[in-house]
Amino acid sequence: AWCSRTTRCSFFIPLCIAFLLTPSIFIDIIIIIIIMVKYFKEGNVIVLRSVASGKSLRIMPDGQVNGHGEQGHLARFIVHKAGKKTIKLQNIQKEHWLRIHEHGRLEGLGKGGEFCAFRIHKHDGWKKGEKIVSLESIKFPGHFVGILPDGHAKPAHDTKQGPHGSYEVIFIGHGPEHHNAPHEHEHHPHPPASAPPSHAPHEIAHGRVVSFRSLNYPDYYIRHKNAEGWADKIDGSDLFNHDSSWRVVPGLADPHGISFEATNYPGYYLRHQNWELFAHKSDGSDLFRKDATFYARPGHAQRDLTSFESSNYPGHFIRHQNGRLRISPDDHTPLFHADATWTVVAPNHH
């Protein structure tokens, strides 16, 4: 009993001294303890509501992340402690963990490894009862979990602790009894089309090697560079000519569509990830196949040319923007239409 009283005294006396000398520091300590214990205790189930979108962060069945959730099964996360002020978040679907992967990709394809660890940053509003936090990648410091106002995932390297990287923590409960939740509608912000797509006026034959020239920047071509997709000005070098030549193959996710295979890196395909385009090696997953499949459409700016629509984000087309290739929704502006229109030409590498 004496040891018990001594232990309790050794804990409370410093706290009392801290309160007498610096009440504000004392209050901050208590707040941090309450935050960590109540909301981020091992085994807790929480929901993270995006400040930007007003909806909850959720992981879709195919592993894509968006900010269109409510409080159903797609948006509930099990807290796993990973260190001091550090957690990992496992969706109650169990096979999906939130992670920031290479190139700032926010996705739900983690397995609980190093890419899934996040440092908790509480916002000043905690003292006023506003339970807002930001989540910073441990593997990639300075990269935060981000959601745009339209609910789409934001590249982590472009996200800090502003509204796009801020979340209200909603405590659901503790333990397995909270792992069951009402099923949400499992649609993406832009659901896949159900009917087979129509093609551009000129079919691009499967197996053909071609290059893609920008309509509004005629000296610029689609190429890969350091595994990223760019519209770059032709320089006549062998490297550029190889990087800007693509083999058109049947769509990896739908043979009605097409995929673009790098001629100098067989097995690497142009795919979108967090809206930007990359040349990545196929990992055989459903997500990769969908991200790497596009449909040839009549050109937005010129009907006898071609625009390329994403297979899993209908209404999103390949465009260049500040040189970088990405998929973006048609905003019906002349600039978008020009940026998203391409001329299919003979390959730069012969």
Side-chain angles (χ1 to χ4, degrees):
W2 180 85
C3 291
S4 177
R5 286 195 298 271
T6 303
T7 301
R8 288 197 297 269
C9 289
S10 66
F11 176 77
F12 284 113
I13 289 174
L15 285 180
C16 292
I17 293 173
F19 176 72
L20 292 173
L21 295 178
T22 51
S24 62
I25 294 177
F26 176 83
I27 293 171
D28 285 345
I29 292 172
I30 296 300
I31 289 173
I32 290 172
I33 292 172
I34 292 172
I35 290 168
M36 297 303 295
V37 171
K38 180 177 180 181
Y39 295 99
F40 299 112
K41 180 181 177 181
E42 177 75 26
N44 278 1
V45 177
I46 62 172
V47 169
L48 296 172
R49 180 176 293 154
S50 166
V51 171
S53 73
K55 296 286 187 177
S56 299
L57 189 74
R58 68 178 180 179
I59 299 177
M60 303 301 290
D62 62 4
Q64 294 206 43
V65 175
N66 64 53
H68 284 269
E70 299 296 340
Q71 295 187 28
H73 71 298
L74 301 176
R76 291 193 179 189
F77 294 92
I78 304 167
V79 175
H80 297 275
K81 297 297 292 295
K84 186 177 181 181
K85 298 183 182 179
T86 305
I87 60 171
K88 297 179 181 181
L89 294 173
Q90 181 186 21
N91 188 261
I92 62 172
Q93 300 172 84
K94 300 297 178 66
E95 70 269 21
H96 294 305
W97 295 66
L98 189 69
R99 74 176 180 185
I100 291 176
H101 209 243
E102 297 173 346
H103 307 295
R105 303 194 310 269
L106 176 63
E107 57 190 26
L109 297 174
K111 300 298 181 183
E114 59 181 351
F115 293 102
C116 301
F118 298 95
R119 185 177 307 281
I120 303 166
H121 293 269
K122 70 180 182 69
H123 289 214
D124 291 340
W126 274 103
K127 297 179 181 179
K128 303 175 183 177
E130 299 172 1
K131 301 176 289 292
I132 306 297
V133 299
S134 294
L135 299 176
E136 180 184 16
S137 169
I138 297 296
K139 178 68 174 178
F140 302 106
H143 290 47
F144 287 79
V145 174
I147 292 293
L148 294 167
D150 63 4
H152 290 123
K154 182 177 181 179
H157 54 73
D158 289 334
T159 307
K160 302 304 177 187
Q161 297 184 54
H164 295 174
S166 300
Y167 304 87
E168 177 189 1
V169 184
I170 300 172
F171 177 71
I172 300 298
H174 178 81
E177 63 269 24
H178 298 283
H179 294 181
N180 295 319
H183 277 236
E184 298 186 5
H185 296 295
E186 296 182 358
H187 63 275
H188 288 274
H190 298 275
S194 56
S198 59
H199 293 280
H202 57 281
E203 298 254 351
I204 306 176
H206 293 160
R208 183 181 172 191
V209 176
V210 297
S211 291
F212 302 98
R213 187 175 67 212
S214 167
L215 171 65
N216 52 347
Y217 288 88
D219 293 332
Y220 285 67
Y221 293 78
I222 290 178
R223 72 170 297 189
H224 62 84
K225 182 170 63 176
N226 297 323
E228 297 177 340
W230 288 84
D232 268 359
K233 187 174 183 179
I234 190 168
D235 60 14
S237 67
D238 285 343
L239 177 62
F240 183 96
N241 291 341
H242 279 88
D243 288 352
S244 61
S245 297
W246 303 87
R247 179 171 288 103
V248 178
V249 300
L252 300 183
D254 180 357
H256 291 101
I258 57 176
S259 293
F260 308 104
E261 183 180 18
T263 57
N264 53 346
Y265 285 90
Y268 283 71
Y269 297 87
L270 200 64
R271 58 90 61 97
H272 67 81
Q273 199 165 55
N274 286 334
W275 317 116
E276 295 183 324
L277 264 62
F278 299 90
H280 283 167
K281 186 175 182 179
S282 174
D283 60 11
S285 67
D286 287 341
L287 177 62
F288 185 96
R289 288 193 289 266
K290 292 175 182 177
D291 288 350
T293 299
F294 300 88
Y295 298 121
R297 305 295 197 194
H300 282 293
Q302 191 171 319
R303 301 288 288 178
D304 60 338
L305 301 182
T306 310
S307 293
F308 298 103
E309 184 178 15
S310 166
S311 69
N312 54 345
Y313 283 89
H316 286 60
F317 294 82
I318 295 177
R319 72 172 298 185
H320 62 82
Q321 193 171 48
N322 297 320
R324 193 74 166 86
L325 294 177
R326 59 187 298 113
I327 61 167
S328 297
D330 181 4
D331 62 10
H332 305 290
T333 63
L335 177 61
F336 175 91
H337 289 168
D339 288 350
T341 300
W342 306 89
T343 304
V344 182
V345 299
N348 289 322
H349 171 67
H350 299 284

